[in-house]
Amino acid sequence: MAFYKVMCLAAGLMLLTQESESQLDVCGQPKLNTRIVGGQVAPVGSWPWQVSLQTSGFHFCGGSLINSQWVLTAAHCFQTTVNGLTVNLGLQSLEGSNPNAESRTVTQIINHPNYNSVTNNNDICLLQLSSPVTFTSYISPVCLAASDSTFYSGVNSWVTGWGNIGSGVSLPSPKNLMEVEVPVVGNRKCNCNYGVGEITDNMICAGLSAGGKDSCQGDSGGPMVIKQSGRWIQAGVVSFGNGCARPNFPGVYARVSQYQTWINSQISSNQPGFMMFTSTGTNSDLSVTCTGLPPVPTTTPTTTTSKPVFCGQAPKNSGILGGTSMATAGSWPWMASLQKNGSHVCGGTLVALDSVLSNANCFSSSPVASEWTVVLGRLKLNGSNPFEVTLNVTNITLSNTTGTNIAILRLSAQPTLTDYIQPICLDNGRTFAEGLACWAAGWSPGRGGAEEVMQQFNTSVVNCGNSSSSESICTDVFALQQGDSGGPLMCKQDGSWFQAVVLTAPSPSARRRRQTPVMTFTRVSSFDSFLMETLETLLSPASNTTITNPTNVSVTTTASSTYTTTMVTTTTRSNSVFDSSEGCPAHSFIFVFFHLLSLAFCLQLCL
């Protein structure tokens, strides 16, 4: 018979020096966790995300703080109506004085819609606090395991709570918070322990084969955390088990990484910090077999191939959406909304699988990465955005030049590329001829109706006059506002979209001056050295399959030699249209002559 888990903490003392914290994110970094001990009282402030769920003053379940107003816990804690529910944060003991504690009531209880009380599948729940808490050394959020995180057998995890210290053995007074270290048990092994089919992909197990360390009744809903790169990441939520600390029956936890999409769909702003956890070495669980357990597919490692990633592709952009200033979903799939405390501040563009480009001015007052999130796939600032993904920022790097500067934001995880989320190509010395139609896009308050839909602006490249230089590009005037800052000026060439400029919105005082007939911007190509150093490599556009004549390479390739080299080295999996092994067609001379004649005619018209 399965019992809901709370905590069985066995002996074994071990001291470790906490790793140096170098990341900027606020989650998963307890200021007072300077040592690790197993199977006994946790030092004060070691686990500042731990909460006690209480009804009428009595503890019944644990939970973890995941942002200033939301707590993650287990769905089975709320199978029945709970009266007088409070969430208690900053607690060290359930009895006596807790000078660092705070308490909140709950305004929402959101059990996972697919929670099954019979199988314990999807045993996860969100609680919304009545008001936000202020982070202190004793109250701060934990990071959550992002989708596609991997936890191999043997990875050390820590579980905390105020539950029983053995089956039917209550935690003695003053009921201090307890902690225990337990290794991950792979799902194949755990299925063999519990019976094949009992452990689903939505679960993760941890415990010793000999028993003696485990969670137990009263720890339900509490966190199972693992440390990586100086931060604590929650991998599981205490769910159930067969007794407590029994040999060959590890504790079973809800696997947090399976619920990133669901959690983000419930928390609309100030979303939790999701971090990818990656195990290294060999997963010994793959070699586990028992009666009824399907074999591991032997073809999986050999048939998995990487699909090449090209920049500048917008599958939902059917030509140019002329006649309207409102964009449609997927029109500009690289657009990013840079948000601080859940509010849009600036625009940006996805320029690498884990990096967003924006304007350095956006961070003049707040360069701390943990204060920012990036929303991709968004169309409206208000209303439903079914294709969007929100990611935390782990690092902000600013260029350091005189005049205009740009910023690269490193994301906590790589978003899945879809028709609504794609990277844009960067100008690396291309030629943007006068008269070329280009577009800008962005969000600013008061535009796009009540839902504040992304706006798009058509403009053209014009002569810069006396201010002309290789580092500048000029366009016709369009209605650039403060919220558009950091967004792109983008032009389509050879079937791909290139970002020529990082937009800088005029200051309020500048708007009152007499408008000039053109707008002058600093080209992205002027930051080549910074971009290559920060991004290490630039994504390449897809090969232009409409170019069939190899002799036209010098005419149609407008990129600089640096960009051309990058394009060749990063698209080796595609069939290059410039493959020198292919012979010229028999009519190539006539073909070239015809095009030269057409070019001369066009030039005469322009003059």
Side-chain angles (χ1 to χ4, degrees):
M1 177 180 179
F3 292 94
Y4 289 121
K5 309 292 288 186
V6 189
M7 183 139 206
C8 177
L9 301 169
L13 175 64
M14 179 173 62
L15 302 178
L16 294 176
T17 302
Q18 186 184 12
E19 298 172 11
S20 173
E21 312 289 3
S22 59
Q23 299 294 331
L24 295 176
D25 289 62
V26 69
C27 67
Q29 299 179 86
K31 297 178 182 178
L32 300 179
N33 191 333
T34 57
R35 65 190 182 117
I36 298 298
V37 296
Q40 60 181 33
V41 174
V44 177
S46 295
W47 312 106
W49 43 80
Q50 177 76 48
V51 305
S52 167
L53 306 183
Q54 300 186 7
T55 175
S56 301
F58 292 96
H59 169 87
F60 69 95
C61 271
S64 54
L65 187 69
I66 58 175
N67 72 7
S68 62
Q69 205 167 353
W70 288 86
V71 163
L72 187 66
T73 186
H76 77 255
C77 293
F78 297 96
Q79 290 186 90
T80 59
T81 302
V82 176
N83 297 317
L85 174 63
T86 61
V87 175
N88 297 271
L89 310 98
L91 287 184
Q92 173 63 14
S93 62
L94 297 182
E95 298 174 355
S97 174
N98 285 282
N100 307 303
E102 288 195 32
S103 178
R104 295 289 188 277
T105 56
V106 172
T107 58
Q108 271 197 95
I109 300 173
I110 308 175
N111 270 358
H112 194 280
N114 296 325
Y115 167 61
N116 188 317
S117 61
V118 176
T119 64
N120 304 308
N121 201 23
N122 301 303
D123 190 8
I124 198 164
C125 173
L126 287 168
L127 307 178
Q128 185 176 22
L129 306 183
S130 55
S131 63
V133 295
T134 300
F135 297 152
T136 68
S137 295
Y138 306 93
I139 300 174
S140 64
V142 67
C143 301
L144 300 180
S147 301
D148 299 325
S149 292
T150 56
F151 301 96
Y152 288 176
S153 292
V155 171
N156 286 330
S157 71
W158 291 84
V159 187
T160 50
W162 289 277
N164 291 353
I165 58 173
S167 294
V169 182
S170 298
L171 183 65
S173 182
K175 299 187 177 180
N176 284 314
L177 178 66
M178 303 292 283
E179 61 182 13
V180 67
E181 182 183 25
V182 283
V184 170
V185 175
N187 276 30
R188 290 179 63 83
K189 177 64 175 176
C190 202
N191 254 305
C192 291
N193 292 142
Y194 277 90
V196 175
E198 294 295 315
I199 306 302
T200 73
D201 291 341
N202 297 321
M203 302 172 186
I204 184 172
C205 303
L208 299 173
S209 59
K213 291 187 177 184
D214 197 2
S215 52
C216 201
Q217 286 74 32
D219 292 324
S220 286
M224 164 194 174
V225 297
I226 302 175
K227 197 174 189 182
Q228 178 177 263
S229 301
R231 285 185 293 180
W232 290 96
I233 301 171
Q234 184 171 353
V237 175
V238 179
S239 183
F240 72 95
N242 191 339
C244 298
R246 293 179 58 185
N248 296 316
F249 282 104
V252 185
Y253 305 78
R255 187 179 289 259
V256 172
S257 59
Q258 293 287 85
Y259 300 99
Q260 180 175 359
T261 300
W262 178 72
I263 291 171
N264 280 339
S265 72
Q266 303 301 317
I267 303 176
S268 58
S269 62
N270 190 25
Q271 293 182 323
F274 281 91
M275 301 299 300
M276 184 80 71
F277 186 95
T278 304
S279 297
T280 57
T282 303
N283 186 5
S284 61
D285 191 54
L286 297 179
S287 62
V288 172
T289 60
C290 64
T291 303
L293 189 68
V296 177
T298 57
T299 58
T300 300
T302 56
T303 58
T304 301
T305 57
S306 298
K307 183 179 179 181
V309 176
F310 299 115
C311 59
Q313 303 302 299
K316 295 295 182 180
N317 190 326
S318 54
I320 299 300
L321 306 170
T324 176
S325 62
M326 289 192 185
T328 57
S331 297
W332 313 110
W334 36 81
M335 289 295 296
S337 170
L338 276 53
Q339 304 206 344
K340 184 179 178 184
N341 298 324
S343 297
H344 174 82
V345 176
C346 280
T349 48
L350 186 68
V351 294
L353 295 182
D354 64 351
S355 299
V356 164
L357 172 65
S358 189
N359 195 308
N361 289 344
C362 299
F363 310 98
S364 57
S365 62
S366 179
V368 179
S370 60
E371 298 178 352
W372 293 85
T373 55
V374 168
V375 183
L376 300 167
R378 168 165 285 196
L379 177 64
K380 312 164 187 174
L381 289 186
N382 302 319
S384 173
N385 289 285
F387 309 111
E388 75 174 28
V389 172
T390 300
L391 296 168
N392 280 36
V393 178
T394 61
N395 191 52
I396 300 173
T397 307
L398 307 180
S399 63
N400 187 21
T401 65
T402 56
T404 302
N405 280 285
I406 60 175
I408 293 291
L409 284 67
R410 189 78 66 182
L411 304 178
S412 60
Q414 295 181 3
T416 300
L417 299 184
T418 66
D419 286 351
Y420 304 92
I421 300 176
Q422 288 287 324
I424 192 171
C425 302
L426 293 178
D427 165 27
N428 195 253
R430 299 183 71 86
T431 298
F432 297 105
E434 290 181 34
L436 178 66
C438 296
W439 289 78
W443 298 271
S444 271
R447 292 190 324 204
E451 293 183 317
E452 297 187 351
V453 178
M454 182 198 305
Q455 299 292 286
Q456 56 188 16
F457 310 97
N458 186 208
T459 187
S460 299
V461 177
V462 298
N463 192 304
C464 289
N466 294 334
S467 62
S468 179
S469 76
S470 61
E471 294 187 350
S472 300
I473 188 171
C474 294
T475 70
D476 291 323
V477 176
F478 58 94
L480 187 61
Q481 294 186 20
Q482 197 63 40
D484 303 320
S485 200
L489 177 70
M490 43 203 170
C491 312
K492 192 173 187 180
Q493 291 188 342
D494 301 330
S496 297
W497 287 94
F498 292 84
Q499 182 169 353
V501 165
V502 176
L503 297 176
T504 302
S507 64
S509 60
R511 294 175 190 167
R512 292 193 293 267
R513 299 173 188 158
R514 181 176 59 87
Q515 283 193 335
T516 58
V518 300
M519 300 177 77
T520 304
F521 302 100
T522 302
R523 289 184 55 160
V524 168
S525 59
S526 64
F527 300 99
D528 275 354
S529 298
F530 168 76
L531 291 169
M532 289 301 296
E533 179 181 348
T534 308
L535 299 175
E536 296 181 356
T537 185
L538 302 182
L539 292 175
S540 301
S543 299
N544 186 353
T545 54
T546 62
I547 303 175
T548 56
N549 186 359
T551 63
N552 284 338
V553 172
S554 60
V555 176
T556 59
T557 305
T558 57
S560 67
S561 58
T562 302
Y563 185 86
T564 304
T565 301
T566 303
M567 180 172 66
V568 171
T569 58
T570 57
T571 58
T572 54
R573 295 181 182 178
S574 64
N575 295 321
S576 174
V577 295
F578 303 134
D579 190 344
S580 59
S581 65
E582 295 184 12
C584 297
H587 61 279
S588 59
F589 176 78
I590 299 174
F591 187 84
V592 171
F593 176 79
F594 174 78
H595 276 277
L596 288 174
L597 187 63
S598 300
L599 179 61
F601 179 72
C602 290
L603 289 173
Q604 184 65 32
L605 287 178
C606 293
L607 295 174

